[in-house]
């Protein structure tokens, strides 16, 4: 089994920053490809950022230059540093993982999911 637990969400004003964390409970963490997704009310789930291999990353155009995905294998934790937040970033953010090497930003690319953490950005 693989358990993913997100944390770090909250409320922030536009222009502010948040750092999301995803704790991974699995003996094979270093072998996972991982990603962050988000979903706002009435919207489809959107891939935000992905990381795989040594340090390969992929970002949605909407967050390039503002968000950074990283992971600490020793701590078995995935991070999403979010800077210059905008109201349109408001969503539930989900951590995802898969054993397959992928930098995909489609929900179907990942088999394991966390429960989500809410991010709210006010103007």
């Amino acid at each position: 089994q693989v358990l993913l637990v997100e944390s770090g969400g909250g409320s922030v004003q536009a222009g502010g920053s948040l750092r999301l964390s995803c704790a991974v409970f699995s003996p094979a963490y270093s072998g996972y490809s991982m990603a962050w997704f988000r979903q706002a009310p009435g919207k489809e789930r959107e891939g935000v950022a992905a990381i795989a291999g040594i340090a390969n990353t992929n970002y949605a155009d909407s967050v390039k230059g503002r968000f950074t995905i990283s992971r600490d294998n020793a701590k078995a934790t995935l991070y999403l540093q979010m800077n210059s937040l905008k109201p349109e970033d408001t969503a539930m953010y989900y951590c995802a993982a898969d054993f397959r090497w992928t930098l995909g930003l489609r929900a179907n690319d990942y088999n394991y999911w966390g429960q989500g953490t809410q991010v709210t950005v006010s103007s």
Side-chain angles (χ1 to χ4, degrees), residues 10-72:
S11 298
V12 65
Q13 296 217 321
S17 298
L18 285 173
R19 187 194 192 196
L20 306 183
S21 298
C22 173
V24 183
F25 298 91
S26 169
Y29 169 77
S30 62
Y32 283 92
S33 297
M34 302 193 71
W36 288 98
F37 287 76
R38 66 187 182 185
Q39 188 166 22
K43 302 286 188 178
E44 294 184 344
R45 187 163 296 190
E46 173 190 18
V48 174
I51 187 166
I54 299 174
N56 302 109
T57 59
N58 186 27
Y59 296 91
D61 288 341
S62 60
V63 306
K64 286 180 180 177
R66 299 189 297 121
F67 291 10
T68 302
I69 188 171
S70 63
R71 63 182 172 188
D72 185 333

Side-chain angles (χ1 to χ4, degrees), residues 31-35 51-53 71 96-103 110:
Y32 283 92
S33 297
M34 302 193 71
I51 187 166
R71 63 182 172 188
D98 202 278
F99 275 111
R100 168 181 169 266
W101 194 103
T102 183
L103 286 173
Y110 301 90

Side-chain angles (χ1 to χ4, degrees), residues 98-115:
D98 202 278
F99 275 111
R100 168 181 169 266
W101 194 103
T102 183
L103 286 173
L105 293 175
R106 299 174 300 181
N108 193 45
D109 291 326
Y110 301 90
N111 286 319
Y112 305 103
W113 294 84
Q115 295 299 307

